[in-house]
Amino acid sequence: IEVFKKYQFLRPVEYLAPYIEFPISNFQFPINDQISGSKYFAYIGRLSEEKGVNILIQAFRHFTPYTLTPNPYTLTIVGDGPARARLEILASDLIREDKIKFVGPKYGDELAEIRAGARALIVPSVCEENAPFAVLEAAAAGKAVIASHIGGIPELMRDGETGIMVAPRDPVALAAAIKTLAHDPARAHAMGEAGQQFVREHFDRNRHVDSVI
């Protein structure tokens, strides 16, 4: 909405909230595993330049010195796209060290299991995204979100409550956010619960239908 106002559209701007179906998946880890057992972060989405996955890889390179052995945190990248080959080259050293895994496209229960097992989902977009469903799907699944403060993303989450927002194209700030939730699993879990409630209240089907009618 702020972008439309910035460019002074002549007609009034009306906000039509998207919606997401519940439950997003029937897959659920035991609650104790959700809080303390998650040893990886995840990106789920298209591998193209505007998604900022190159920034995420740089951020994880900043983050890895903070990881603890013998159970270091890793990054799982789910998806495919035109930038995949370049991203794998960029991350080649971290792939060799088993710090980053490219697992390709995943669907159904397999995707749900990856999402449910992550400490947090990361959305490092560098473009003016409208309403990326990766944010809503993560929150609906009860997962904390680390995302760029850009486009419509700030309307989909609450910074410090349902996740952490960082400036786009800033790998150091992104690494700091990852470190925060790596070292505080209880906070990550609380953010996931808050995000799930936030999505239920603001992005359910009935609210969407009412706004259309």
Side-chain angles (χ1 to χ4, degrees):
I1 292 175
E2 294 303 319
V3 173
F4 277 87
K5 290 179 179 178
K6 175 182 176 182
Y7 292 102
Q8 298 180 347
F9 276 67
L10 298 179
R11 295 180 179 179
V13 176
E14 296 183 8
Y15 176 61
L16 177 60
Y19 73 90
I20 189 164
E21 296 283 3
F22 280 89
I24 186 171
S25 170
N26 292 321
F27 190 94
Q28 192 81 12
F29 276 124
I31 190 70
N32 289 335
D33 291 346
Q34 290 184 41
I35 295 175
S36 61
S38 301
K39 296 298 183 184
Y40 65 91
F41 292 80
Y43 167 87
I44 300 174
R46 179 174 167 80
L47 301 184
S48 52
E49 297 299 329
E50 73 276 6
K51 296 299 184 180
V53 183
N54 60 321
I55 304 299
L56 175 55
I57 292 170
Q58 294 173 41
F60 221 77
R61 186 170 282 111
H62 282 289
F63 166 72
T64 48
Y66 297 112
T67 59
L68 305 175
T69 56
N71 295 308
Y73 289 89
T74 61
L75 172 65
T76 297
I77 296 176
V78 181
D80 207 348
R84 178 172 177 173
R86 294 192 298 274
L87 292 170
E88 287 180 331
I89 292 172
L90 178 64
S92 58
D93 57 325
L94 297 175
I95 293 172
R96 286 194 301 270
E97 296 170 7
D98 292 324
K99 298 290 179 63
I100 291 182
K101 299 177 182 179
F102 286 78
V103 299
K106 300 295 178 183
Y107 307 96
D109 287 345
E110 195 172 10
L111 176 60
E113 182 175 355
I114 292 172
R115 185 187 289 115
R119 175 61 55 85
L121 277 294
I122 304 177
V123 184
S125 300
V126 296
C127 67
E128 297 281 352
E129 296 227 46
N130 180 14
F133 261 71
V135 175
L136 295 178
E137 289 171 344
K143 308 306 295 187
V145 178
I146 300 172
S148 298
H149 192 288
I150 193 170
I153 293 176
E155 298 172 25
L156 306 182
M157 56 186 292
R158 293 290 179 264
D159 189 25
E161 297 178 19
T162 68
I164 301 175
M165 283 190 283
V166 300
R169 303 181 187 276
D170 189 340
V172 176
L174 184 54
I178 294 170
K179 178 184 175 184
T180 294
L181 296 190
H183 289 185
D184 196 346
R187 184 180 181 190
H189 181 70
M191 284 181 166
E193 288 190 324
Q196 191 172 62
Q197 183 61 31
F198 178 73
V199 170
R200 285 187 183 276
E201 291 176 356
H202 297 278
F203 300 100
D204 72 324
R205 179 201 290 267
N206 291 336
R207 183 182 178 89
H208 177 84
V209 171
D210 289 343
S211 62
V212 172
I213 295 175

